[in-house]
Amino acid sequence: MTMKKNLLVELFVEELPPKALKKLGDSFATVLTDSLKAQGLVDAAVVPTPFASPRRLAVRVEAVAERAPDRSVQRKLMPVSVGLTAEGRPTPALLKKLESLGLDASVVDQLKRVNDGKAEVLLHDSLAPGVALAEGLQKALDEAIAKLPIPKLMSYQLADGWTSVHFVRPAHGLVALWGTEVVPVQALGLKAGRQTRGHRFEARVDPVVIHEADSYPEQLRHDGAVIASFEARRAEIVRQLGEAAERIGGGVRPVDDEALLDEVTALVERPNVLVGQFEAEFLEVPQECLILTMKANQKYFPLLDAQGRLTNRFLMVSNISPEDPSAVIGGNERVVRPRLADAKFFFDQDRKKTLESRVPGLDKVVYHGKLGSQGERTQRVQAIAHAIVNQLRMATVPYTVEAKDEFDVLDGKVQQAARLAKADLLTDMVGEFPELQGIMGGYYARHEGLRDGVAIAIEDHYKPRFAGDALPRNHTGTVLALADKLETLVGLFGIGQSPTGDKDPFALRRHALGVIRLLIEKNLPLQLPELVAAAVPVFGSRITDPREPLLDFIYDRLAVSLRDQGYSAQEVEAVLALRPGRLGEVPRRLAAVRAFAGLPEAQALAAANKRVGNILKKAEGAVEPRVDTALLREAAEAALHEALQAVRPRADAAFEQGDYTGSLQVLAALKAPVDTFFDQVMVNADDAALRANRLGLLATLHAAMNRVADLSRLAAA
């Protein structure tokens, strides 16, 4: 029986790109292990243990065989008619083929004859020896290195001064241990051994000699002062951050930022969390500015109080652990102070000019070569926002004098907010930190004394910025956010910049989801097709009409979003097949479909509905949902018509009241008459008048059943 031991492979390199480290570590471990599995050296169920620190990529794989088992190989050679003569002797073509495989005429009698569906062919069975570990690992290592998702390659020379190597960072060591034995492989000009390096400054031993594959993480931690596992190092940082905040007291907590946590984990090999502080006067600057500069530039974790307000303390993650950390803390405090001073300077300077005074400058800022300037874009957003307010007016019943006054006020606020929304793009703060656009506009609007509703709308008009983000907090912000996203979608679709595959440079999928969330979660009484139609004319001749592809795109994003929320594909297809214009109704329609699907009659009615749809599609010309009762000759068709007359008013009444569940459940009473109709009535009768009347009856049934959703989509395949 083949011996199995645990395998360790480590590539020791110079500091790796921190934002790519986790992905590099996972890829190295996964690809190398998958290759070993494919070669039969590792069982398919084995899960690798990845290691990734700033200066190493490594993986430990359990139960790796010394040699893969031999495997049966069956080769198709050629058709019998080509390989053998009528007497059964090998032809020159067959002999040449066998020779290319290292075989001779002696194996001809062992060849199998099999019909492959086209012709009778000759097959040769052989036993291929399993690959040895050294050979298999070399292949796996080469593949793992070649497939690393490297952001940018470096070129460097080996010690001989001649050989050039291309890799993400210069590599200086390779470890390959099978149990306690070194596996003789090489990569990037390095030969495998058992020596690696620990922490640059705090390693107890240098080099660190790894005794066996299983001792790697503990030896690195003890002798090398390195936590090799990315996840273990991350967990240690989280633990220390929590302990540091608890020591400070007062309910303070570090900002929650998973991306920052991953990046800091990739910057240190043995984390040591320290507490720093800055002058309280800097807290006069909006906290978003201070938090961003500390996170983006210094990789610090700002501390918030129990109310979520920024304090003048922060946590830093050091890569060294001196007995007296005061020099490290003092150095970091000195470094962050100029950053905060810059933010304060920008904030003070920006407030010397009003947002309104900056608006003309937007005409000089290019938005897109084919769509003009940010100034032109602002005018388009204003026009679209005005159209949205008017559509909201039209949807308001009854439209009273008080309602008119409310919409006039809303329109005024929306127009002011839309005019000023992009002005902060010309401020120094947003120039330094583009992520703060909108947020700074809100601060500057409040500083100028603008109505709070307008300031909040300016701040919120980019929301939702990402999945799970909050929505705008007021009606003005909601209308402005909707107008801004529609302008982006219609404009870019109109110039042919729709997303393709995994490429979405303008984040149009995110914009579409933003429109969907605004319409659904705010339950706006607006029709999506009408919104898109209202946005098209504001572009004039700059674009071609993108309504059809854009609506397809938005409904497609809606379908994906609904499936992600746990709705089945059938439920989603049933509702979206009708292209409901008011997206706010979609959740209630889905709930109604789900409730209907649970009824005993559901499958029979769904199947019947599908059958009706197919019959109507095959009918010549359009079929009107009209019935002449005088032509109802069969008892079954009269009974169906009578049932429809009884059920349809109740279903329609429930539908008009928005009770979609009730509307569908009323339809359950149609099961028996529908079943009887199809059992006893010939729809395609020879008599043209009878045929047309029966088709009209089915069209009436089809219309009644499919107001909430296309029930045929629920039919079992």
Side-chain angles (χ1 to χ4, degrees), residues 338-657:
R339 295 284 189 182
L340 302 181
D342 286 345
K344 187 175 187 305
F345 175 78
F346 292 146
F347 185 56
D348 291 341
Q349 290 298 111
D350 286 343
R351 288 182 295 172
K352 293 178 180 179
K353 292 180 67 176
T354 64
L355 291 174
E356 180 62 42
S357 70
R358 298 179 187 275
V359 171
L362 293 173
D363 291 331
K364 300 175 183 177
V365 180
V366 176
Y367 166 52
H368 190 285
K370 294 182 179 180
L371 296 174
S373 66
Q374 286 286 1
E376 292 172 290
R377 185 186 183 200
T378 294
Q379 293 172 12
R380 292 195 294 265
V381 171
Q382 284 183 281
I384 296 170
H386 179 67
I388 293 172
V389 173
N390 283 339
Q391 289 186 23
L392 287 169
R393 285 184 203 266
M394 299 288 290
T396 301
V397 179
Y399 186 61
T400 62
V401 173
E402 291 78 10
K404 178 183 182 303
D405 291 342
E406 287 179 14
F407 281 114
D408 287 345
V409 171
L410 175 62
D411 198 22
K413 289 181 180 179
V414 168
Q415 290 304 303
Q416 184 181 19
R419 177 172 171 78
L420 301 178
K422 305 299 180 186
D424 68 352
L425 296 176
L426 299 176
T427 62
D428 292 337
M429 187 71 82
V430 174
E432 181 71 13
F433 301 111
E435 302 95 325
L436 295 177
Q437 55 190 282
I439 294 171
M440 294 314 303
Y443 276 107
Y444 297 141
R446 275 187 285 272
H447 171 71
E448 294 171 23
L450 297 181
R451 290 175 290 188
D452 196 48
V454 172
I456 290 175
I458 292 172
E459 181 180 342
D460 288 355
H461 83 278
Y462 288 106
K463 292 181 179 179
R465 295 171 183 256
F466 50 85
D469 191 18
L471 297 181
R473 289 165 286 176
N474 61 22
H475 294 314
T476 308
T478 298
V479 172
L480 180 54
L482 190 55
D484 186 70
K485 288 169 175 55
L486 285 169
E487 192 278 339
T488 301
L489 288 164
V490 171
L492 291 167
F493 263 78
I495 59 172
Q497 293 294 320
S498 57
T500 54
D502 60 350
K503 294 181 180 178
D504 187 9
F506 299 104
L508 298 185
R509 292 186 178 94
R510 177 167 55 80
H511 280 81
L513 284 173
V515 169
I516 289 165
R517 285 192 60 199
L518 287 166
L519 293 174
I520 290 180
E521 294 178 36
K522 293 287 185 177
N523 195 22
L524 298 176
L526 297 170
Q527 298 287 325
L528 178 62
E530 292 178 13
L531 286 171
V532 173
V536 172
V538 304
F539 288 88
S541 60
R542 284 187 180 274
I543 66 170
T544 55
D545 191 338
R547 275 178 283 187
E548 186 175 341
L550 177 54
L551 286 171
D552 288 344
F553 176 73
I554 294 175
Y555 280 110
D556 180 61
R557 300 318 303 165
L558 175 58
V560 172
S561 174
L562 293 172
R563 288 195 294 269
D564 289 343
Q565 293 173 44
Y567 293 103
S568 71
Q570 281 184 316
E571 291 167 345
V572 172
E573 288 174 11
V575 171
L576 297 191
L578 301 186
R579 287 290 188 98
R582 183 173 170 179
L583 300 193
E585 296 178 342
V586 167
R588 284 185 291 131
R589 289 178 184 246
L590 283 165
V593 167
R594 180 166 287 181
F596 175 79
L599 297 175
E601 301 87 352
Q603 270 305 309
L605 283 173
N609 191 48
K610 186 174 184 178
R611 183 176 179 182
V612 169
N614 290 335
I615 291 170
L616 294 176
K617 283 178 187 176
K618 295 176 182 178
E620 295 181 6
V623 178
E624 294 293 328
R626 186 183 303 122
V627 178
D628 182 350
T629 55
L631 293 174
L632 297 175
R633 303 286 175 82
E634 302 287 345
E637 59 183 328
L640 176 57
H641 179 259
E642 185 178 336
L644 265 174
Q645 293 299 102
V647 166
R648 188 170 184 179
R650 289 188 288 140
D652 288 349
F655 181 89
E656 298 302 334
Q657 293 172 9

Side-chain angles (χ1 to χ4, degrees), residues 42-64:
V42 177
D43 291 339
V46 169
V47 177
T49 303
F51 301 97
S53 82
R55 299 201 295 161
R56 73 199 75 239
L57 299 174
V59 58
R60 184 176 62 201
V61 187
E62 296 180 353
V64 179

